[in-house]
Amino acid sequence: MSVLLVLLFLSLATVNINEGCIESERQALLMFKHDVTDGANRLSSWSLHHGHGDCCQWDGVVCDNVTAHVLELHLANPRPLLDDYGSDAENEATERSKLRGKVNPSLLNLTHLSYLNLSQNGFGGIPIPEFIGCIESLRHLDLPKAGFGGLVPNQLGNLSSLEYLNLRADIEDNLYATDLQWLSGLSLIEHLDLSDVDLAQASNWLQVLNTLPFLKNLYLSGCQLPQVPPPTHLNLSSLAILDLSLNDIENSLGGSIFHGLSLYSLDSLQFLNLGSNKFQGKLSSAIGNMTSAIDLDLSDNELEGPIPITMGNLCNLKSIVFSELNLNQDVSTILAVLSGCVSNQLDKLDLSGCHLSGQLTNQLRNFKSLKELHLSGNSVSGPIPISIGELSSLRVLELDQNQLKGQLPSSIGKLTNLEILDISTNLLEGVVSETHIGNLPKLKVFQASKNSFVLRVSPDWIPPFELELLGLRSWNVGSMFPLWLHSQKHLRHLDISGSRISDSLPGWLLNLSSPFQYLNLSHNQIHGQIPGIPWAMSVDLVIDLSFNLLSGPLAPISPNVYFLDMSNNNLSGSLSPLLCYKLKETMGTEILNLGGNVLSGGIPDCWLNWQNLLVIKLSNNRLNGSIPSSMGTLQSIVSLHLQKNHLSGEIPLSLNNCTDLILLDAGENELHGSIPRWIGDSLRKLVVLSLRSNKFSGYIPDELCAIGSLQVLDLADNNLIEVYQDV
């Protein structure tokens, strides 16, 4: 009989599965879909048509296999925002895939919902819905960077079954909490992330956290934590992860957090991040008690060295980030301290900006597991040791801004996993050939500017890598543009300034398939005309072609060019081809430098579509005519350089609209009339005013004395009337 009952139960369960999800819960999901804007059709399967009626089969929905109740909603944006190297199209796609609108209270009908993830969406700054605090079955609530703002609702404290809560915010959403007492209702919480939630008014934050006995992972980065008194008993011994970075915490607060205990006595901690605070004093030898430590970040504090010898006992350490500390120590001594059991496990060592001296030694070969080595911004000298080639796991090697000498060892070519190599701003010299960089297939960033290297590769060489950043400033790359650059389809940042190139500017360089973000070819002997700069370039593009031998007329530029410097060349002709090419196109350019050329003709009246300009440099040319009145529409401009031309007429009254001007230099022209009184009335931020060597006449207006910020006033060599007053 019992066997028959079991078979009957199984048959009923099977029928339930075949019937699909529960009707009330299906309707709840459809109501949720109705209230959100789904630009990428992520919820297209949420439909009653075309055989999609079973909501347990809908994308992002997880049901119980037996009861068919909805248990989980996985609605995080599947396209998280990319870093600075993400293309405009990729970032637009990410924005489009965000769910927007509002969250319908119909989710309350999902009475068995234990998991809710809405992260990385775009709910436009609306408050976190209070009704979420009534979904008592929730054990996991994931809302990081979902676009919620305003006050965190106290109702979340009703989620007594919650084990995981992530409210990590975007700063622009202004998510905040003035009181964290509601957290005490989350007695089972193990993972809590309130990073970038403003807690500046939550004076009870530490007191409440001390009541959570099962808390293991605590993230409070960038929360503006206030100073608080210590609790009588600190109960954070279960913590495995503690992140209090970016809070400006001072020593006094640090002491209160650990209530008289040594900072390093929390021997259960595996990950500790106190970076970007204001801790002071010497690193304590008690750090050696953190025997469970895996990841230790004390960067950007006011702590001082030396590194305690006891750190050599932390055999579980995989990451040490001590950047921007005042260690003031010989780098070889630090390597000696860590060369025991620590070196066998260490993946990352960041000692950049730590006032280190001395030389790198062959102790490096002890760090076989090292994937990242950051020693930027120190005073490390001597050669790069040959043993660097034995660190076969290295992905990031940053030795820039030191005093390293000698040649680049050929053993660097053995680092086949290397993705980032930065040796810029040192005293290195010698030949760099295919032996050094020809076997680095994963290399994405090669920064070696400000050294004295000579590049010597075969003319038909095709690198095995696809670079995104390349810096060869001050190298000798030869008289011709390196043809192998043509193979770099993902290059966004290129600096080959001062590299002895005497070639013409090749069209292919500006037409590579991957748009540039930064292009610096300055201080060479590049000649010939400038081809048009393609309009498919990246937004905020920086182009520096200054100090070359470029000639011929100006060419139109992309509206995406943020910074354009073509100064100190032999460019001739009118400004019109550049300034007036598309009068209806809004130009994004903020800095425009055409000084030191042989440009002639008048300044065209085409400034209405250049409203983003902050700096204009047209000095040292052969421009004539008057200053056009449309320059007065540039209300954001802070620096205007017109000196050493043949400009005539009066200073136009329209410039009184440029109230943010800090520098105005129209010296060494043929301007006449009186010096306008409105300069003193309107341009109250001026620091430098130079009108020297013109034909101004009359009196110096008293209004200039009202410019309190003025530091340089040069009116020499004009026809001004001098006024003497008896004392």
Side-chain angles (χ1 to χ4, degrees):
M1 188 69 175
S2 59
V3 173
L4 291 175
L5 288 174
V6 170
L7 291 174
L8 178 62
F9 174 79
L10 291 176
S11 65
L12 289 173
T14 303
V15 170
N16 198 22
I17 292 173
N18 290 334
E19 289 179 351
C21 65
I22 296 169
E23 178 62 23
S24 62
E25 299 189 0
R26 175 167 46 219
Q27 293 302 321
L29 294 175
L30 290 174
M31 292 173 67
F32 172 87
K33 177 184 177 181
H34 180 269
D35 278 0
V36 297
T37 301
D38 181 13
N41 290 321
R42 289 167 45 198
L43 305 183
S44 59
S45 64
W46 292 31
S47 171
L48 300 179
H49 305 293
H50 307 297
H52 293 306
D54 182 4
C55 67
C56 292
Q57 304 302 316
W58 292 353
D59 291 340
V61 179
V62 176
C63 295
D64 188 287
N65 288 334
V66 176
T67 66
H69 282 296
V70 175
L71 301 180
E72 301 180 5
L73 286 181
H74 298 258
L75 299 177
N77 188 347
R79 298 179 60 97
L81 193 63
L82 299 171
D83 59 20
D84 292 339
Y85 302 115
S87 69
D88 298 334
E90 289 170 326
N91 284 324
E92 287 175 8
T94 298
E95 286 296 316
R96 189 168 56 253
S97 66
K98 289 182 176 181
L99 299 178
R100 304 178 188 276
K102 65 178 182 179
V103 182
N104 195 296
S106 64
L107 294 184
L108 286 171
N109 292 328
L110 307 179
T111 55
H112 291 72
L113 189 67
S114 63
Y115 180 105
L116 177 59
N117 188 339
L118 297 174
S119 60
Q120 302 285 346
N121 284 297
F123 288 103
I126 65 173
I128 296 173
E130 295 180 0
F131 74 80
I132 290 180
C134 298
I135 308 177
E136 297 179 355
S137 55
L138 274 180
R139 295 200 304 270
H140 185 116
L141 180 57
D142 219 354
L143 305 179
K145 299 189 176 183
F148 293 117
L151 182 66
V152 176
N154 293 336
Q155 287 81 354
L156 295 183
N158 297 328
L159 302 174
S160 56
S161 298
L162 206 62
E163 299 172 2
Y164 182 106
L165 176 61
N166 189 346
L167 302 181
R168 181 182 291 261
D170 265 328
I171 296 176
E172 57 267 25
D173 291 328
N174 297 316
L175 192 64
Y176 69 95
T178 58
D179 188 336
L180 291 184
Q181 190 58 46
W182 57 271
L183 276 176
S184 60
L186 309 182
S187 58
L188 300 180
I189 198 76
E190 296 181 2
H191 181 108
L192 177 61
D193 191 343
L194 300 179
S195 297
D196 291 318
V197 177
D198 185 351
L199 302 181
Q201 304 301 316
S203 58
N204 60 346
W205 67 272
L206 181 56
Q207 177 186 355
V208 173
L209 291 174
N210 203 39
T211 66
L212 305 177
F214 300 108
L215 191 60
K216 295 180 180 178
N217 307 331
L218 176 60
Y219 299 87
L220 296 177
S221 176
C223 290
Q224 305 178 52
L225 295 173
Q227 296 276 1
V228 294
T232 54
H233 176 68
L234 193 70
N235 185 27
L236 297 177
S237 58
S238 62
L239 278 180
I241 298 175
L242 177 59
D243 185 351
L244 299 177
S245 59
L246 296 164
N247 275 298
D248 289 338
I249 298 174
E250 299 178 356
N251 273 26
S252 57
L253 182 55
S256 68
I257 288 176
F258 301 101
H259 190 47
L261 300 174
S262 166
L263 174 63
Y264 311 107
S265 65
L266 298 178
D267 52 14
S268 62
L269 273 180
Q270 297 179 8
F271 299 86
L272 175 63
N273 189 348
L274 300 178
S276 298
N277 282 290
K278 294 182 178 178
F279 289 108
Q280 297 177 337
K282 292 189 176 296
L283 290 170
S284 169
S285 60
I287 196 171
N289 297 332
M290 296 183 63
T291 53
S292 299
I294 296 174
D295 193 320
L296 184 57
D297 188 340
L298 303 178
S299 62
D300 196 18
N301 277 283
E302 298 171 21
L303 297 168
E304 300 177 352
I307 285 182
I309 296 177
T310 55
M311 279 197 67
N313 302 327
L314 304 183
C315 296
N316 293 310
L317 266 181
K318 291 189 175 182
S319 176
I320 300 174
V321 181
F322 282 4
S323 57
E324 305 303 323
L325 301 185
N326 186 18
L327 298 183
N328 195 25
Q329 197 170 5
D330 191 302
V331 65
S332 62
T333 303
I334 295 177
L335 294 177
V337 169
L338 302 177
S339 62
C341 62
V342 176
S343 64
N344 296 327
Q345 303 291 330
L346 204 60
D347 288 338
K348 179 177 180 179
L349 178 60
D350 189 345
L351 300 174
S352 52
C354 286
H355 304 277
L356 302 181
S357 57
Q359 298 186 14
L360 290 172
T361 66
N362 286 326
Q363 290 169 324
L364 277 176
R365 61 165 50 102
N366 296 324
F367 296 79
K368 300 293 186 184
S369 300
L370 205 60
K371 294 181 175 66
E372 297 185 30
L373 176 59
H374 305 261
L375 294 174
S376 308
N378 285 292
S379 298
V380 179
S381 58
I384 299 174
I386 296 175
S387 58
I388 196 78
E390 299 181 33
L391 305 184
S392 58
S393 298
L394 265 186
R395 296 175 184 171
V396 178
L397 177 59
E398 295 182 341
L399 303 175
D400 53 295
Q401 301 179 70
N402 278 285
Q403 299 173 18
L404 297 170
K405 298 180 180 180
Q407 299 187 0
L408 187 67
S410 58
S411 62
I412 209 89
K414 297 179 181 179
L415 303 178
T416 55
N417 289 304
L418 206 59
E419 299 174 13
I420 298 175
L421 174 59
D422 193 342
I423 52 175
S424 57
T425 316
N426 277 288
L427 305 172
L428 297 166
E429 58 187 1
V431 172
V432 174
S433 67
E434 295 155 66
T435 304
H436 300 87
I437 58 176
N439 193 32
L440 305 178
K442 298 181 181 180
L443 197 63
K444 302 294 183 186
V445 175
F446 182 31
Q447 295 278 50
S449 294
K450 297 186 179 180
N451 286 289
S452 299
F453 288 125
V454 176
L455 181 63
R456 190 171 297 160
V457 294
S458 302
D460 57 350
W461 180 57
I462 298 178
F465 46 71
E466 284 282 0
L467 293 176
E468 295 176 2
L469 275 78
L470 175 62
L472 304 180
R473 181 178 181 181
S474 302
W475 281 44
N476 180 355
V477 303
S479 60
M480 308 290 287
F481 274 95
L483 288 177
W484 59 269
L485 291 178
H486 208 170
S487 69
Q488 301 300 293
K489 306 303 183 184
H490 302 289
L491 197 58
R492 298 177 183 272
H493 177 119
L494 175 62
D495 185 352
I496 47 175
S497 59
S499 56
R500 306 188 187 183
I501 296 174
S502 57
D503 198 0
S504 60
L505 190 61
W508 59 260
L509 186 61
L510 295 177
N511 284 284
L512 292 177
S513 59
S514 181
F516 279 112
Q517 294 175 336
Y518 180 92
L519 176 62
N520 190 345
L521 307 178
S522 65
H523 294 84
N524 283 292
Q525 297 180 9
I526 303 170
H527 55 81
Q529 295 190 10
I530 300 175
I533 297 173
W535 287 53
M537 288 289 189
S538 299
V539 176
D540 295 338
L541 171 65
V542 173
I543 296 181
D544 191 345
L545 303 176
S546 63
F547 291 93
N548 277 290
L549 302 175
L550 296 166
S551 59
L554 296 173
I557 65 169
S558 163
N560 295 329
V561 176
Y562 157 77
F563 176 106
L564 179 63
D565 190 346
M566 295 192 290
S567 63
N568 296 285
N569 280 283
N570 294 320
L571 300 172
S572 59
S574 170
L575 293 170
S576 295
L578 187 148
L579 294 178
C580 309
Y581 177 64
K582 288 201 173 185
L583 293 179
K584 294 183 180 180
E585 189 78 32
T586 300
M587 304 300 292
T589 311
E590 296 187 11
I591 299 173
L592 177 63
N593 188 355
L594 301 174
N597 284 288
V598 288
L599 298 168
S600 59
I603 300 176
D605 207 4
C606 299
W607 297 98
L608 289 175
N609 57 329
W610 294 79
Q611 294 299 305
N612 292 302
L613 277 171
L614 301 175
V615 177
I616 301 175
K617 293 187 177 183
L618 302 175
S619 53
N620 289 281
N621 278 287
R622 299 176 183 176
L623 301 172
N624 56 34
S626 60
I627 301 173
S629 59
S630 63
M631 295 194 85
T633 65
L634 305 176
Q635 297 186 22
S636 298
I637 194 165
V638 297
S639 184
L640 178 58
H641 303 253
L642 302 173
Q643 70 269 28
K644 294 186 179 180
N645 280 287
H646 304 295
L647 300 174
S648 58
E650 298 185 352
I651 298 178
L653 175 62
S654 61
L655 287 184
N656 70 347
N657 296 318
C658 303
T659 54
D660 286 332
L661 266 175
I662 295 175
L663 183 149
L664 174 58
D665 191 344
E668 299 184 58
N669 279 288
E670 299 171 17
L671 299 170
H672 60 78
S674 59
I675 295 176
R677 295 181 179 276
W678 54 259
I679 291 180
D681 293 330
S682 301
L683 308 184
R684 293 297 187 92
K685 297 181 181 179
L686 276 178
V687 175
V688 176
L689 174 61
S690 177
L691 301 175
R692 68 171 293 121
S693 300
N694 278 285
K695 297 179 180 180
F696 289 108
S697 58
Y699 294 98
I700 299 174
D702 293 339
E703 286 79 0
L704 296 184
C705 299
I707 307 176
S709 57
L710 197 62
Q711 297 181 19
V712 176
L713 176 62
D714 190 348
L715 306 177
D717 195 17
N718 279 285
N719 298 320
L720 299 171
I721 299 174
E722 298 181 4
V723 177
Y724 297 97
Q725 294 182 346
D726 295 332
V727 178

